[in-house]
Amino acid sequence: MSKPGSAKGQPHTGKKRFISGVVEGFYGRPWTMGQRTELFKREQKWGLNTYLYAPKDDYKHRMYWRDLYSAEEAEQLIALISAAKQHDVEFIYAISPGLDITFSNPKEVAALQRKLDQVRQFGCRSFSLLFDDIETEMCPADKQAFSSFAHAQVAITNAVYQHLGDPETFLFCPTDYCAAFCTPNVSQSAYLHTVGEKLLPGIDILWTGPKVVSHKISVESIEEVSSVLRRAPVIWDNIHANDYDPQRLFLGPFKDRPTELIPKLGGVLTNPNCEFYPNFVAIHTLATWCKATADGGQRDVEMSDEEQDPCYSPKKALTLALTDWLQEFLNTDQPGARLKKESSGEEPMQTDGGETPHVPGPGENPLYTAEPLTLDDLKLLSDLFYLPYEYGPTARTMLQELDWLRKHSWAAAWCSRAQQFDGMCEAVVQMFNRLSNAPNRCILYDLYNYICDIKSGVGLARAYVKTLGGQGRPSAQLMNTDPEPWGFRGGLSGEFQRMLPCHGNRDLFREPPMSAVYCIRPYCPEDKTEVQRIFREMQSAGEGKVPSTILSAGEISPSPQCALVLEDEIGVCGYALALTDAKPAADKIQMTTKLSKDFPSLVTMQVLPRVTDPSPAKRMIGRLLSNVRSSGSRGVFCELRQSNRRMIDFYTKLGSFVPIQMAGLPQDILAMGTSL
């Protein structure tokens, strides 16, 4: 295995084009070849230029990445790559070998190159190596060959890139692909620094933003990661991804990414909903965003209070997308489409008996006539299934009105507001009816489970409000102790979630607010057993003892006035302990660490997972640091296992603690300190 290539290789000449398009990178049933071809047509029409083939459940892409494609599979891929070229879409073939590859084995590298050589024979000229969502522990053979996981990944990526002849487009997805995964943070991540320094400059790096599913992506955050990676990242955007929750679909606009980002990025690829047809909005609005120019192009001067980008209005982009999507709904030129009799040029088929269509007589029921789908229906649909971190305006209004109605049944305005709420519920029902009768059945079938679910939920709320107003008997669905299955949310997953203490904490509309009462008090000798229990429960596997472990384990007592415990209604749920002078603890375990004069004191803290609000822990550590400062100490340090991301993230977000160098600490220990 060759050593990692240097990032000082020969870069591509000229400015790369901005990568824009779609990544099929979700978990679940992959799209069909026909759907992908339809996607290429849309991308060409809307001005997008890229498709990244990375379906997680294509087993030869990920689980069995070594296996070559069969003749039949090869034929399909050849046709797909050809279709992409016909529509001026760059087809990027991604492979994800990280589940089981041995980086130091030359045969593994050869297998990877052989697989990509096969795909290159299909006509593909752009490639991607993905190392996302994998374990970070290297096998013993790789530990001997490489100094870190990052070095192993960079070595094989550079080797493959050079084997393929330095393709113009080659994407690399790191294991730490968002800020939340970086230890201790982006700017100080050893993993990202290695990737940035050692990965050849012609290779682009994928990045999802602050989180896996990022609510907002700021210019400042991209400038920070670009500095570490030594190149502008390509955003793999999961804002419309729904593979993590089978009850959610996202039909809102591409938003909360300022157009100022465009010149600072290598590109943007959206990884949208698993269902193909509902992605019309996600891809259409991304295309509109990509066309926006932050350097003097046409500016959008009509902005709402929530829209601060002068070059792009999510609201207007959504309206444009829904207007075009409406035409897709009404399109009968689709497999399974319901043809309208009046629009068909053919005579209706006659039966053997020569029967003519039924015409109702006097007093008979009229024939059912479906009303046509409207743009307002699609706006309502989008509002109900908006984005991961927010509902659309109509959905928010409905939740607010229902909350008001159930609390103010005595108010004078109750009846008029109840009537307005009933009208909104009726609009949802009519939207469902018109969607169900839309000619394009392909779109309907992708939406059907979701719109059935929201119709059911709205129906229950509607019945409840009528009961509050004394209109008829209480709904059997609401009041019955043995309801029909559709009257409650079923499934084992739901049962598990409702038993957890944090259930409901991330509801977008929370009423009443999820809150708990916490007490921070001084530590007393009777608390020793509880502190030891919490320490054992939260302890991570590591290499030997350090001063903080013997402090938590009760082998050495905390300094006077330097010990606190956190209690909730169940009991002790956290602690914070300190030694104003850490040297006796280090001497007790015969530790060779040389303590810093600037950080002579030690603090340690643990909080049980049931404490989901970080505020009590922040107050507790603040009080402890104040007490340590009063003792005359000039600074404190804490010791954290590298695997303890929760506490590393906590101390980092405090803003005052920074990583410090302390010789003699075990390899898996990170020291962080702050001046007092």
Side-chain angles (χ1 to χ4, degrees):
M1 181 72 182
S2 60
K3 295 294 182 183
S6 168
K8 295 179 181 178
Q10 191 67 28
H12 288 285
T13 57
K15 183 176 174 61
K16 287 187 177 181
R17 70 171 176 172
F18 187 83
I19 294 172
S20 63
V22 178
V23 49
E24 184 182 345
F26 50 80
Y27 292 86
R29 177 184 293 179
W31 296 333
T32 67
M33 293 297 177
Q35 288 172 336
R36 291 164 181 155
T37 302
E38 187 171 339
L39 171 66
F40 301 155
K41 295 177 182 177
R42 291 180 179 179
E43 288 195 88
Q44 183 182 38
K45 180 179 179 181
W46 299 337
L48 300 172
N49 57 38
T50 303
Y51 165 75
L52 176 57
Y53 177 89
K56 292 291 191 292
D57 290 312
D58 173 353
Y59 67 92
K60 288 188 178 179
H61 156 77
R62 186 172 172 86
M63 292 180 64
Y64 300 104
W65 59 270
R66 298 173 185 84
D67 293 0
L68 297 177
Y69 288 106
S70 67
E72 182 180 354
E73 292 165 337
E75 184 179 349
Q76 288 186 319
L77 278 172
I78 290 170
L80 194 65
I81 293 167
S82 175
K85 288 180 180 177
Q86 289 173 13
H87 293 93
D88 296 324
V89 172
E90 184 175 20
F91 184 101
I92 304 176
Y93 176 84
I95 191 165
S96 186
L99 290 176
D100 61 358
I101 191 171
T102 300
F103 292 92
S104 56
N105 187 342
K107 292 182 179 179
E108 293 279 76
V109 182
L112 186 55
Q113 292 173 343
R114 182 170 61 250
K115 178 67 168 285
L116 295 179
D117 281 341
Q118 184 195 30
V119 178
R120 183 163 56 171
Q121 291 173 1
F122 300 161
C124 182
R125 294 294 177 264
S126 301
F127 299 90
S128 178
L129 270 183
L130 309 181
F131 293 105
D132 57 321
D133 303 343
I134 59 174
E135 294 295 329
T136 57
E137 184 69 19
M138 290 193 291
C139 67
D142 286 343
K143 286 182 178 178
Q144 289 184 349
F146 300 104
S147 58
S148 73
F149 199 38
H151 283 92
Q153 292 179 357
V154 166
I156 203 167
T157 302
N158 285 344
V160 169
Y161 174 71
Q162 291 174 327
H163 171 80
L164 293 170
D166 298 8
E168 183 68 25
T169 301
F170 192 97
L171 306 179
F172 168 83
C173 183
T175 304
D176 293 355
Y177 55 78
C178 65
F181 287 177
C182 296
T183 303
N185 51 48
V186 171
S187 62
Q188 296 172 307
S189 165
Y191 174 91
L192 287 189
H193 274 288
T194 299
V195 169
E197 291 169 8
K198 301 298 184 182
L199 202 66
L200 290 170
I203 301 173
D204 284 309
I205 300 175
L206 294 163
W207 183 253
T208 66
K211 298 168 66 177
V212 178
V213 181
S214 295
H215 184 186
K216 300 180 180 182
I217 301 178
S218 68
V219 171
E220 293 76 19
S221 72
I222 293 302
E223 289 175 341
E224 179 184 37
V225 74
S226 297
S227 175
V228 175
L229 297 178
R230 303 188 179 196
R231 69 206 79 196
V234 174
I235 296 297
W236 171 311
D237 207 320
N238 288 316
I239 192 63
H240 286 96
N242 71 337
D243 54 356
Y244 53 85
D245 189 342
Q247 290 186 324
R248 285 195 272 181
L249 184 75
F250 301 117
L251 305 176
F254 188 80
K255 68 189 295 281
D256 294 317
R257 286 97 171 103
T259 52
E260 294 173 80
L261 285 172
I262 293 175
K264 299 179 182 292
L265 294 172
V268 178
L269 297 170
T270 180
N271 180 38
N273 299 281
C274 298
E275 297 83 1
F276 175 76
Y277 291 101
N279 287 319
F280 193 99
V281 172
I283 301 170
H284 194 292
T285 55
L286 170 64
T288 302
W289 182 87
C290 288
K291 293 172 189 170
T293 54
D295 54 356
Q298 184 175 359
R299 300 169 70 85
D300 190 331
V301 295
E302 298 179 18
M303 295 185 295
S304 69
D305 292 338
E306 296 180 355
E307 296 176 340
Q308 304 300 322
D309 194 327
C311 300
Y312 174 76
S313 164
K315 184 177 180 180
K316 289 186 177 180
L318 178 62
T319 300
L320 287 173
L322 295 177
T323 300
D324 287 350
W325 200 23
L326 179 61
Q327 300 309 309
E328 293 280 324
F329 271 98
L330 304 179
N331 183 8
T332 58
D333 187 22
Q334 294 288 337
R338 179 180 56 79
L339 295 173
K340 294 182 180 180
K341 291 180 182 178
E342 63 271 18
S343 64
S344 172
E346 300 178 7
E347 291 293 326
M349 183 179 70
Q350 298 294 322
T351 62
D352 291 340
E355 295 178 1
T356 57
H358 173 69
V359 177
E364 294 183 349
N365 284 327
L367 289 177
Y368 178 80
T369 304
E371 295 182 4
L373 190 67
T374 68
L375 181 59
D376 285 340
D377 289 325
L378 295 188
K379 288 181 177 179
L380 175 57
L381 178 68
S382 174
D383 275 3
L384 300 177
F385 298 96
Y386 202 65
L387 290 170
Y389 296 98
E390 61 181 308
Y391 296 121
T394 303
R396 290 199 302 269
T397 300
M398 292 182 74
L399 287 167
Q400 291 163 357
E401 286 300 296
L402 177 60
D403 183 54
W404 187 91
L405 289 167
R406 67 190 181 93
K407 292 178 178 176
H408 299 85
S409 56
W410 45 265
W414 193 92
C415 288
S416 62
R417 291 182 69 162
Q419 189 173 3
Q420 291 173 355
F421 179 77
D422 190 75
M424 288 188 282
C425 293
E426 178 62 20
V428 174
V429 174
Q430 293 304 318
M431 175 205 71
F432 173 87
N433 291 339
R434 288 190 281 265
L435 279 170
S436 299
N437 287 284
N440 192 327
R441 314 305 281 171
C442 293
I443 308 177
L444 171 67
Y445 297 150
D446 272 357
L447 292 171
Y448 199 75
N449 287 343
Y450 298 102
I451 61 176
C452 277
D453 185 62
I454 193 63
K455 176 173 171 277
S456 173
V458 165
L460 290 172
R462 190 181 193 185
Y464 173 64
V465 170
K466 288 185 176 180
T467 299
L468 289 177
Q471 300 176 25
R473 295 186 303 169
S475 169
Q477 288 178 309
L478 291 169
M479 307 301 178
N480 194 343
T481 57
D482 184 23
E484 294 282 3
W486 58 80
F488 60 91
R489 282 290 164 268
L492 185 60
S493 175
E495 297 281 354
F496 280 131
Q497 291 181 41
R498 284 189 286 274
M499 293 177 70
L500 301 179
C502 60
H503 176 66
N505 275 6
R506 295 307 302 159
D507 284 352
L508 300 186
F509 182 85
R510 287 179 283 174
E511 185 59 40
M514 299 295 290
S515 61
V517 177
Y518 296 97
C519 171
I520 300 171
R521 61 170 177 79
Y523 169 92
C524 60
E526 291 77 16
D527 294 321
K528 183 176 181 179
T529 302
E530 283 299 295
V531 167
Q532 290 173 329
R533 179 186 62 80
I534 294 173
F535 168 67
R536 288 193 301 269
E537 184 175 335
M538 301 299 294
Q539 188 177 21
S540 302
E543 301 175 8
K545 291 183 177 180
V546 290
S548 61
T549 61
I550 65 170
L551 177 58
S552 295
E555 297 177 31
I556 189 170
S557 299
S559 299
Q561 311 301 317
C562 291
L564 301 168
V565 294
L566 181 69
E567 282 185 320
D568 60 10
E569 66 271 21
I570 300 174
V572 176
C573 54
Y575 65 85
L577 313 175
L579 295 171
T580 55
D581 182 5
K583 191 175 185 304
D587 293 341
K588 184 178 178 67
I589 57 175
Q590 298 179 343
M591 193 171 175
T592 59
T593 302
K594 184 177 181 181
L595 301 178
S596 168
K597 294 185 301 181
D598 295 325
F599 308 102
S601 304
L602 168 71
V603 296
T604 184
M605 185 182 76
Q606 284 291 358
V607 177
L608 291 175
R610 72 173 186 250
V611 182
T612 57
D613 182 357
S615 301
K618 289 180 180 178
R619 291 198 300 271
M620 183 166 62
I621 195 69
R623 282 178 55 177
L624 182 66
L625 293 178
S626 177
N627 292 346
V628 174
R629 185 188 305 113
S630 298
S631 73
S633 175
R634 61 191 301 177
V636 302
F637 72 96
C638 62
E639 301 158 322
L640 305 168
R641 302 285 178 193
Q642 293 279 5
S643 58
N644 192 351
R645 289 182 177 270
R646 181 176 183 240
M647 293 310 297
I648 291 174
D649 185 61
F650 173 81
Y651 280 103
T652 301
K653 288 183 177 177
L654 285 177
S656 56
F657 279 80
V658 295
I660 59 175
Q661 296 295 323
M662 293 185 67
L665 284 177
Q667 287 187 351
D668 68 326
I669 294 294
L670 170 70
M672 300 184 74
T674 183
S675 300
L676 297 176

mmCIF file of all heavy atoms in Angstrom, residues 204-234:
data_model
loop_
_atom_site.group_PDB
_atom_site.id
_atom_site.type_symbol
_atom_site.label_atom_id
_atom_site.label_comp_id
_atom_site.label_asym_id
_atom_site.label_seq_id
_atom_site.Cartn_x
_atom_site.Cartn_y
_atom_site.Cartn_z
ATOM 1 N N ASP A 204 -12.822 16.909 -4.705
ATOM 2 C CA ASP A 204 -13.765 17.716 -3.933
ATOM 3 C C ASP A 204 -14.250 16.926 -2.720
ATOM 4 O O ASP A 204 -14.290 15.689 -2.737
ATOM 5 C CB ASP A 204 -14.970 18.116 -4.795
ATOM 6 C CG ASP A 204 -14.624 19.229 -5.769
ATOM 7 O OD1 ASP A 204 -14.073 20.245 -5.326
ATOM 8 O OD2 ASP A 204 -14.895 19.067 -6.975
ATOM 9 N N ILE A 205 -14.646 17.655 -1.678
ATOM 10 C CA ILE A 205 -15.055 17.028 -0.420
ATOM 11 C C ILE A 205 -16.506 17.384 -0.126
ATOM 12 O O ILE A 205 -16.900 18.555 -0.175
ATOM 13 C CB ILE A 205 -14.146 17.473 0.739
ATOM 14 C CG1 ILE A 205 -12.697 17.072 0.441
ATOM 15 C CG2 ILE A 205 -14.617 16.868 2.059
ATOM 16 C CD1 ILE A 205 -11.689 17.577 1.462
ATOM 17 N N LEU A 206 -17.291 16.347 0.204
ATOM 18 C CA LEU A 206 -18.702 16.532 0.523
ATOM 19 C C LEU A 206 -18.870 16.921 1.991
ATOM 20 O O LEU A 206 -18.131 16.455 2.861
ATOM 21 C CB LEU A 206 -19.475 15.248 0.225
ATOM 22 C CG LEU A 206 -19.552 14.861 -1.263
ATOM 23 C CD1 LEU A 206 -19.954 13.405 -1.430
ATOM 24 C CD2 LEU A 206 -20.530 15.774 -2.003
ATOM 25 N N TRP A 207 -19.883 17.743 2.274
ATOM 26 C CA TRP A 207 -20.102 18.284 3.618
ATOM 27 C C TRP A 207 -21.589 18.570 3.792
ATOM 28 O O TRP A 207 -22.215 19.125 2.880
ATOM 29 C CB TRP A 207 -19.283 19.567 3.775
ATOM 30 C CG TRP A 207 -19.311 20.237 5.107
ATOM 31 C CD1 TRP A 207 -19.955 21.395 5.439
ATOM 32 C CD2 TRP A 207 -18.634 19.815 6.300
ATOM 33 N NE1 TRP A 207 -19.721 21.729 6.753
ATOM 34 C CE2 TRP A 207 -18.907 20.766 7.313
ATOM 35 C CE3 TRP A 207 -17.826 18.724 6.618
ATOM 36 C CZ2 TRP A 207 -18.415 20.656 8.610
ATOM 37 C CZ3 TRP A 207 -17.321 18.614 7.912
ATOM 38 C CH2 TRP A 207 -17.616 19.569 8.886
ATOM 39 N N THR A 208 -22.177 18.188 4.944
ATOM 40 C CA THR A 208 -23.622 18.408 5.129
ATOM 41 C C THR A 208 -23.946 19.654 5.939
ATOM 42 O O THR A 208 -25.113 19.992 6.091
ATOM 43 C CB THR A 208 -24.290 17.192 5.799
ATOM 44 O OG1 THR A 208 -23.783 17.056 7.147
ATOM 45 C CG2 THR A 208 -24.057 15.916 5.013
ATOM 46 N N GLY A 209 -22.925 20.321 6.486
ATOM 47 C CA GLY A 209 -23.179 21.537 7.251
ATOM 48 C C GLY A 209 -22.981 21.326 8.738
ATOM 49 O O GLY A 209 -22.262 20.418 9.174
ATOM 50 N N PRO A 210 -23.636 22.140 9.568
ATOM 51 C CA PRO A 210 -23.478 21.995 11.021
ATOM 52 C C PRO A 210 -23.917 20.634 11.547
ATOM 53 O O PRO A 210 -23.349 20.112 12.495
ATOM 54 C CB PRO A 210 -24.365 23.116 11.586
ATOM 55 C CG PRO A 210 -24.476 24.115 10.478
ATOM 56 C CD PRO A 210 -24.454 23.319 9.217
ATOM 57 N N LYS A 211 -24.957 20.064 10.935
ATOM 58 C CA LYS A 211 -25.487 18.778 11.392
ATOM 59 C C LYS A 211 -25.691 17.860 10.197
ATOM 60 O O LYS A 211 -25.470 18.261 9.050
ATOM 61 C CB LYS A 211 -26.825 19.004 12.123
ATOM 62 C CG LYS A 211 -26.705 19.864 13.377
ATOM 63 C CD LYS A 211 -28.075 20.307 13.892
ATOM 64 C CE LYS A 211 -28.909 19.156 14.375
ATOM 65 N NZ LYS A 211 -30.204 19.609 14.930
ATOM 66 N N VAL A 212 -26.137 16.637 10.467
ATOM 67 C CA VAL A 212 -26.472 15.714 9.377
ATOM 68 C C VAL A 212 -27.605 16.316 8.551
ATOM 69 O O VAL A 212 -27.536 16.391 7.319
ATOM 70 C CB VAL A 212 -26.882 14.328 9.933
ATOM 71 C CG1 VAL A 212 -27.283 13.402 8.786
ATOM 72 C CG2 VAL A 212 -25.746 13.712 10.740
ATOM 73 N N VAL A 213 -28.662 16.733 9.235
ATOM 74 C CA VAL A 213 -29.751 17.487 8.600
ATOM 75 C C VAL A 213 -29.654 18.907 9.148
ATOM 76 O O VAL A 213 -30.088 19.189 10.265
ATOM 77 C CB VAL A 213 -31.132 16.872 8.918
ATOM 78 C CG1 VAL A 213 -32.246 17.658 8.231
ATOM 79 C CG2 VAL A 213 -31.174 15.404 8.503
ATOM 80 N N SER A 214 -29.074 19.787 8.375
ATOM 81 C CA SER A 214 -28.777 21.142 8.864
ATOM 82 C C SER A 214 -29.963 22.075 8.663
ATOM 83 O O SER A 214 -30.471 22.213 7.547
ATOM 84 C CB SER A 214 -27.551 21.707 8.136
ATOM 85 O OG SER A 214 -26.398 20.960 8.459
ATOM 86 N N HIS A 215 -30.371 22.710 9.768
ATOM 87 C CA HIS A 215 -31.450 23.692 9.683
ATOM 88 C C HIS A 215 -31.007 24.895 8.852
ATOM 89 O O HIS A 215 -31.687 25.293 7.907
ATOM 90 C CB HIS A 215 -31.839 24.133 11.099
ATOM 91 C CG HIS A 215 -32.993 25.072 11.157
ATOM 92 N ND1 HIS A 215 -33.424 25.671 12.317
ATOM 93 C CD2 HIS A 215 -33.818 25.531 10.189
ATOM 94 C CE1 HIS A 215 -34.463 26.446 12.061
ATOM 95 N NE2 HIS A 215 -34.720 26.395 10.772
ATOM 96 N N LYS A 216 -29.831 25.432 9.194
ATOM 97 C CA LYS A 216 -29.279 26.569 8.475
ATOM 98 C C LYS A 216 -27.802 26.311 8.197
ATOM 99 O O LYS A 216 -27.133 25.616 8.956
ATOM 100 C CB LYS A 216 -29.438 27.858 9.285
ATOM 101 C CG LYS A 216 -30.894 28.210 9.589
ATOM 102 C CD LYS A 216 -30.999 29.493 10.390
ATOM 103 C CE LYS A 216 -32.476 29.821 10.678
ATOM 104 N NZ LYS A 216 -32.625 31.091 11.422
ATOM 105 N N ILE A 217 -27.316 26.856 7.095
ATOM 106 C CA ILE A 217 -25.894 26.780 6.761
ATOM 107 C C ILE A 217 -25.413 28.207 6.539
ATOM 108 O O ILE A 217 -25.874 28.890 5.617
ATOM 109 C CB ILE A 217 -25.647 25.917 5.514
ATOM 110 C CG1 ILE A 217 -26.166 24.489 5.732
ATOM 111 C CG2 ILE A 217 -24.164 25.890 5.171
ATOM 112 C CD1 ILE A 217 -26.010 23.575 4.528
ATOM 113 N N SER A 218 -24.517 28.663 7.383
ATOM 114 C CA SER A 218 -24.070 30.058 7.323
ATOM 115 C C SER A 218 -22.801 30.204 6.498
ATOM 116 O O SER A 218 -22.038 29.251 6.321
ATOM 117 C CB SER A 218 -23.824 30.587 8.739
ATOM 118 O OG SER A 218 -22.699 29.944 9.318
ATOM 119 N N VAL A 219 -22.574 31.417 6.033
ATOM 120 C CA VAL A 219 -21.338 31.731 5.310
ATOM 121 C C VAL A 219 -20.131 31.503 6.215
ATOM 122 O O VAL A 219 -19.107 30.943 5.798
ATOM 123 C CB VAL A 219 -21.371 33.189 4.807
ATOM 124 C CG1 VAL A 219 -20.015 33.596 4.246
ATOM 125 C CG2 VAL A 219 -22.454 33.358 3.739
ATOM 126 N N GLU A 220 -20.260 31.905 7.489
ATOM 127 C CA GLU A 220 -19.140 31.774 8.426
ATOM 128 C C GLU A 220 -18.754 30.309 8.619
ATOM 129 O O GLU A 220 -17.564 29.969 8.682
ATOM 130 C CB GLU A 220 -19.506 32.400 9.771
ATOM 131 C CG GLU A 220 -19.677 33.902 9.750
ATOM 132 C CD GLU A 220 -20.988 34.356 9.113
ATOM 133 O OE1 GLU A 220 -21.929 33.513 9.011
ATOM 134 O OE2 GLU A 220 -21.076 35.527 8.702
ATOM 135 N N SER A 221 -19.755 29.428 8.714
ATOM 136 C CA SER A 221 -19.452 28.007 8.923
ATOM 137 C C SER A 221 -18.748 27.407 7.712
ATOM 138 O O SER A 221 -17.853 26.563 7.853
ATOM 139 C CB SER A 221 -20.736 27.227 9.225
ATOM 140 O OG SER A 221 -21.558 27.096 8.072
ATOM 141 N N ILE A 222 -19.119 27.841 6.519
ATOM 142 C CA ILE A 222 -18.479 27.328 5.308
ATOM 143 C C ILE A 222 -17.068 27.874 5.171
ATOM 144 O O ILE A 222 -16.143 27.157 4.758
ATOM 145 C CB ILE A 222 -19.332 27.677 4.065
ATOM 146 C CG1 ILE A 222 -20.654 26.900 4.114
ATOM 147 C CG2 ILE A 222 -18.580 27.373 2.781
ATOM 148 C CD1 ILE A 222 -20.497 25.381 4.177
ATOM 149 N N GLU A 223 -16.862 29.129 5.528
ATOM 150 C CA GLU A 223 -15.508 29.684 5.496
ATOM 151 C C GLU A 223 -14.589 28.935 6.462
ATOM 152 O O GLU A 223 -13.414 28.683 6.160
ATOM 153 C CB GLU A 223 -15.552 31.176 5.837
ATOM 154 C CG GLU A 223 -16.173 32.022 4.729
ATOM 155 C CD GLU A 223 -16.330 33.476 5.108
ATOM 156 O OE1 GLU A 223 -16.313 33.784 6.326
ATOM 157 O OE2 GLU A 223 -16.482 34.319 4.206
ATOM 158 N N GLU A 224 -15.128 28.556 7.615
ATOM 159 C CA GLU A 224 -14.327 27.824 8.604
ATOM 160 C C GLU A 224 -13.912 26.457 8.070
ATOM 161 O O GLU A 224 -12.733 26.093 8.111
ATOM 162 C CB GLU A 224 -15.117 27.655 9.901
ATOM 163 C CG GLU A 224 -14.352 26.881 10.971
ATOM 164 C CD GLU A 224 -15.180 26.629 12.218
ATOM 165 O OE1 GLU A 224 -16.399 26.387 12.080
ATOM 166 O OE2 GLU A 224 -14.614 26.652 13.324
ATOM 167 N N VAL A 225 -14.858 25.686 7.549
ATOM 168 C CA VAL A 225 -14.521 24.338 7.085
ATOM 169 C C VAL A 225 -13.677 24.400 5.809
ATOM 170 O O VAL A 225 -12.802 23.556 5.594
ATOM 171 C CB VAL A 225 -15.789 23.484 6.888
ATOM 172 C CG1 VAL A 225 -16.578 23.896 5.639
ATOM 173 C CG2 VAL A 225 -15.436 22.005 6.810
ATOM 174 N N SER A 226 -13.882 25.398 4.979
ATOM 175 C CA SER A 226 -13.062 25.559 3.766
ATOM 176 C C SER A 226 -11.603 25.790 4.125
ATOM 177 O O SER A 226 -10.702 25.287 3.449
ATOM 178 C CB SER A 226 -13.580 26.725 2.922
ATOM 179 O OG SER A 226 -14.892 26.493 2.472
ATOM 180 N N SER A 227 -11.374 26.553 5.204
ATOM 181 C CA SER A 227 -10.011 26.816 5.642
ATOM 182 C C SER A 227 -9.320 25.530 6.084
ATOM 183 O O SER A 227 -8.150 25.297 5.775
ATOM 184 C CB SER A 227 -10.023 27.831 6.787
ATOM 185 O OG SER A 227 -8.727 28.013 7.312
ATOM 186 N N VAL A 228 -10.055 24.669 6.782
ATOM 187 C CA VAL A 228 -9.489 23.404 7.258
ATOM 188 C C VAL A 228 -9.271 22.432 6.102
ATOM 189 O O VAL A 228 -8.231 21.764 6.007
ATOM 190 C CB VAL A 228 -10.394 22.779 8.337
ATOM 191 C CG1 VAL A 228 -9.872 21.407 8.755
ATOM 192 C CG2 VAL A 228 -10.508 23.692 9.549
ATOM 193 N N LEU A 229 -10.253 22.355 5.196
ATOM 194 C CA LEU A 229 -10.175 21.410 4.083
ATOM 195 C C LEU A 229 -9.301 21.899 2.933
ATOM 196 O O LEU A 229 -9.000 21.131 2.009
ATOM 197 C CB LEU A 229 -11.586 21.117 3.555
ATOM 198 C CG LEU A 229 -12.557 20.442 4.528
ATOM 199 C CD1 LEU A 229 -13.920 20.264 3.876
ATOM 200 C CD2 LEU A 229 -12.018 19.106 5.005
ATOM 201 N N ARG A 230 -8.958 23.191 2.955
ATOM 202 C CA ARG A 230 -8.121 23.799 1.918
ATOM 203 C C ARG A 230 -8.791 23.766 0.542
ATOM 204 O O ARG A 230 -8.120 23.709 -0.480
ATOM 205 C CB ARG A 230 -6.749 23.103 1.865
ATOM 206 C CG ARG A 230 -6.018 23.125 3.196
ATOM 207 C CD ARG A 230 -4.612 22.612 3.097
ATOM 208 N NE ARG A 230 -3.951 22.682 4.405
ATOM 209 C CZ ARG A 230 -2.645 22.585 4.579
ATOM 210 N NH1 ARG A 230 -1.846 22.414 3.540
ATOM 211 N NH2 ARG A 230 -2.124 22.640 5.789
ATOM 212 N N ARG A 231 -10.090 23.802 0.544
ATOM 213 C CA ARG A 231 -10.882 23.844 -0.691
ATOM 214 C C ARG A 231 -12.331 24.124 -0.297
ATOM 215 O O ARG A 231 -12.728 23.902 0.845
ATOM 216 C CB ARG A 231 -10.779 22.532 -1.463
ATOM 217 C CG ARG A 231 -11.444 21.331 -0.809
ATOM 218 C CD ARG A 231 -10.820 20.031 -1.237
ATOM 219 N NE ARG A 231 -9.576 19.784 -0.524
ATOM 220 C CZ ARG A 231 -8.662 18.889 -0.900
ATOM 221 N NH1 ARG A 231 -8.842 18.160 -1.988
ATOM 222 N NH2 ARG A 231 -7.554 18.701 -0.190
ATOM 223 N N ALA A 232 -13.092 24.621 -1.255
ATOM 224 C CA ALA A 232 -14.516 24.859 -1.018
ATOM 225 C C ALA A 232 -15.254 23.519 -1.025
ATOM 226 O O ALA A 232 -15.069 22.711 -1.935
ATOM 227 C CB ALA A 232 -15.083 25.776 -2.098
ATOM 228 N N PRO A 233 -16.085 23.246 -0.023
ATOM 229 C CA PRO A 233 -16.793 21.964 0.000
ATOM 230 C C PRO A 233 -17.957 21.935 -0.981
ATOM 231 O O PRO A 233 -18.436 22.978 -1.436
ATOM 232 C CB PRO A 233 -17.306 21.888 1.443
ATOM 233 C CG PRO A 233 -17.509 23.322 1.835
ATOM 234 C CD PRO A 233 -16.408 24.085 1.139
ATOM 235 N N VAL A 234 -18.389 20.727 -1.309
ATOM 236 C CA VAL A 234 -19.634 20.511 -2.054
ATOM 237 C C VAL A 234 -20.673 20.065 -1.032
ATOM 238 O O VAL A 234 -20.458 19.086 -0.314
ATOM 239 C CB VAL A 234 -19.463 19.443 -3.150
ATOM 240 C CG1 VAL A 234 -20.807 19.131 -3.813
ATOM 241 C CG2 VAL A 234 -18.455 19.905 -4.194
#
